[in-house]
Amino acid sequence: MPSIDKVVILARGRGTRMRARDDHSQLDAHQAAVADTGVKAMIPVANRPFLDYVLSGVADAGYRRVCLVVGPDQQATRDYYGRDVALRRLRIEFAVQEQALGTANALLSAADFAGQDPFVLLNSDNFYPPEALDRLKQQTGAAVALFEREAMLADSNITADRIASFAVGDIDAAGRLRRIIEKPDAQTLAQLPSPQWVSMNCWRFGPRIFEACRAIPRSQRGEYELTMAVQRAIDELGEPFQAVLVRAPVLDLTSRGDIAKIEARLRAMEVQL
């Protein structure tokens, strides 16, 4: 694959857990109002949207073109990044996922943006360590960044019980991904070698992923799942995925209880978009 400067960020989502009330979380009026919308990317963190920090990290790693996948009703997100904020390092475009039909369907919304170029795909509610973004940039083909479970337990904002339910990567002896195991049970985890590597939806893709996304059926949840598309790309299209193993934590903004913890971690970060 050629050099890479494109990033697709999935910023739609339903935000069900973020909309849920939490009497123990101390939110200001602005934070509470945005949390009520479920748009996690726009939650104020130290007086600016959480997504600003994600995007600043993307720019720090040398990426310059970003496509935000949003819902048709997310005009506030489009106004902010399309009109209200000064962009000096990034060029931001938008793709609209008309219905919330899963991550593979969301990615298909950005097919025109990606074209035939390689690109990185990220969640809008995760802050990824710079090492992960930099090492994905250095790859020459499709890849997935996987994060050491112990590093996540030691230094992320995510509780151990939440991490226990996160997907993990099954990697072969050559360091390539065999599969992503969703919601592994204790027996499955016990059978995997240590250390174990958590998937946080941090990928490098080429154009063949769109072929795989178009070919998969809906999952049991009624959605088009990105993990199913990746598996099809591996098994049916012969696309190898290098596992990029990162011993650093990811910050995860899922619920109202995460906001204060993430704010404490990111408050001192200099944001430059």
Side-chain angles (χ1 to χ4, degrees), residues 4-9 48 51-68 81 86-92 120 122 127-134 137 269-273:
I4 179 172
D5 74 344
K6 291 182 178 180
V7 178
V8 174
I9 298 181
R48 62 188 313 149
L51 185 53
D52 278 8
Y53 299 91
V54 179
L55 289 168
S56 187
V58 163
D60 288 346
Y63 302 92
R64 292 295 176 258
R65 296 185 62 189
V66 175
C67 179
L68 300 181
Y81 289 108
L87 300 175
R88 296 183 175 86
R89 298 196 292 171
L90 295 173
R91 172 182 164 188
I92 296 179
V120 165
L122 306 173
F127 181 82
Y128 299 94
E131 177 188 350
L133 301 178
D134 183 62
K137 193 175 182 66
M269 178 178 170
E270 182 180 0
V271 172
Q272 296 183 38
L273 303 180

Side-chain angles (χ1 to χ4, degrees), residues 94-117:
F94 301 91
V96 177
Q97 184 190 21
E98 294 294 341
Q99 295 178 278
L101 294 177
T103 47
N105 179 263
L107 177 53
L108 281 174
S109 303
D112 288 344
F113 166 81
Q116 294 298 304
D117 298 325

Side-chain angles (χ1 to χ4, degrees), residues 98-197:
E98 294 294 341
Q99 295 178 278
L101 294 177
T103 47
N105 179 263
L107 177 53
L108 281 174
S109 303
D112 288 344
F113 166 81
Q116 294 298 304
D117 298 325
F119 63 95
V120 165
L121 179 128
L122 306 173
N123 287 337
S124 64
D125 55 356
N126 290 139
F127 181 82
Y128 299 94
E131 177 188 350
L133 301 178
D134 183 62
R135 289 179 61 194
L136 285 177
K137 193 175 182 66
Q138 296 173 27
Q139 299 302 307
T140 57
V144 58
L146 300 173
F147 301 88
E148 186 185 45
R149 182 181 292 273
E150 291 306 313
M152 294 284 287
L153 288 168
D155 206 28
S156 77
N157 69 300
I158 314 168
T159 60
D161 60 324
R162 276 168 60 189
I163 291 176
S165 68
F166 283 8
V168 295
D170 179 11
I171 309 163
D172 68 17
R176 290 179 175 174
L177 181 71
R178 288 195 190 98
R179 59 181 174 142
I180 295 291
I181 305 171
E182 297 277 8
K183 299 187 183 302
D185 57 27
Q187 181 178 1
T188 300
L189 288 174
Q191 294 172 346
L192 293 173
S194 293
Q196 292 164 359
W197 301 94

